[in-house]
Amino acid sequence: AAVFQAMLLEVPFVDALNTMSDPTIPLTCNDWAESGNTNEREAFQYVMEYSPYDNIRMQPYPATLCTASLNDAMVGYWEPLKYVTKLRKTKLDEKPALLKVNFDAGHGHHADRYEYLKERAFNFAFVLHHLGID
């Protein structure tokens, strides 16, 4: 049996290598202090080792729900989109790899309390379902 049954990736920073290589993206240059400038060889290799998008392999994966927010200033909506697309094309199983995009929210979740609770319920229902708890 698999170690993990479900992955919940909420507005994840998954395309680290590409994002960290583009100084025109907000916050990128600030991140260089922590991870290094990926336009330089040593930092490129370091980030390549942990960048989730660049480490998707031909293997089975848990059921996956990845969320994105159109108005997120910290993680571009295209990162989760690219991740889920590559995961679907690469993984070796039939478990779902889903993308849920919030067209109104910023980073993380909706500002409205009730919409936030609906989002949390949806995410937890996904995880509980794939753990066999219905």
Side-chain angles (χ1 to χ4, degrees):
V3 175
F4 297 101
Q5 298 301 315
M7 286 196 303
L8 175 59
L9 307 171
E10 297 180 283
V11 291
F13 180 48
V14 288
D15 191 14
L17 190 58
N18 282 317
T19 300
M20 295 287 293
S21 297
D22 186 352
T24 65
I25 296 175
L27 304 177
T28 293
C29 295
N30 293 337
D31 289 338
W32 286 349
E34 182 178 338
S35 302
N37 180 345
T38 52
N39 295 303
E40 298 169 2
R41 184 180 187 86
E42 186 177 345
F44 178 93
Q45 293 297 332
Y46 172 70
V47 173
M48 180 69 132
E49 289 178 8
Y50 74 79
S51 176
Y53 177 81
D54 296 296
N55 284 287
I56 293 174
R57 303 287 180 251
M58 292 181 69
Q59 65 185 35
Y61 281 84
T64 304
L65 173 60
C66 196
T67 67
S69 295
L70 186 63
N71 300 308
D72 189 338
M74 297 178 73
V75 176
Y77 66 88
W78 56 87
E79 286 195 38
L81 175 62
K82 284 176 61 176
Y83 182 84
V84 169
T85 301
K86 185 174 180 181
L87 183 62
R88 287 176 179 171
K89 290 181 178 183
T90 308
K91 67 190 192 78
L92 298 176
D93 60 69
E94 298 299 318
K95 294 177 192 140
L98 306 176
L99 175 68
K100 183 174 186 272
V101 180
N102 186 321
F103 290 95
D104 300 313
H107 185 67
H109 56 78
H110 205 286
D112 179 81
R113 164 173 68 161
Y114 296 109
E115 290 301 318
Y116 167 74
L117 292 173
K118 286 180 193 176
E119 291 171 3
R120 302 306 304 154
F122 182 91
N123 294 350
F124 284 121
F126 174 86
V127 171
L128 292 172
H129 172 75
H130 289 285
L131 293 177
I133 304 169
D134 287 320

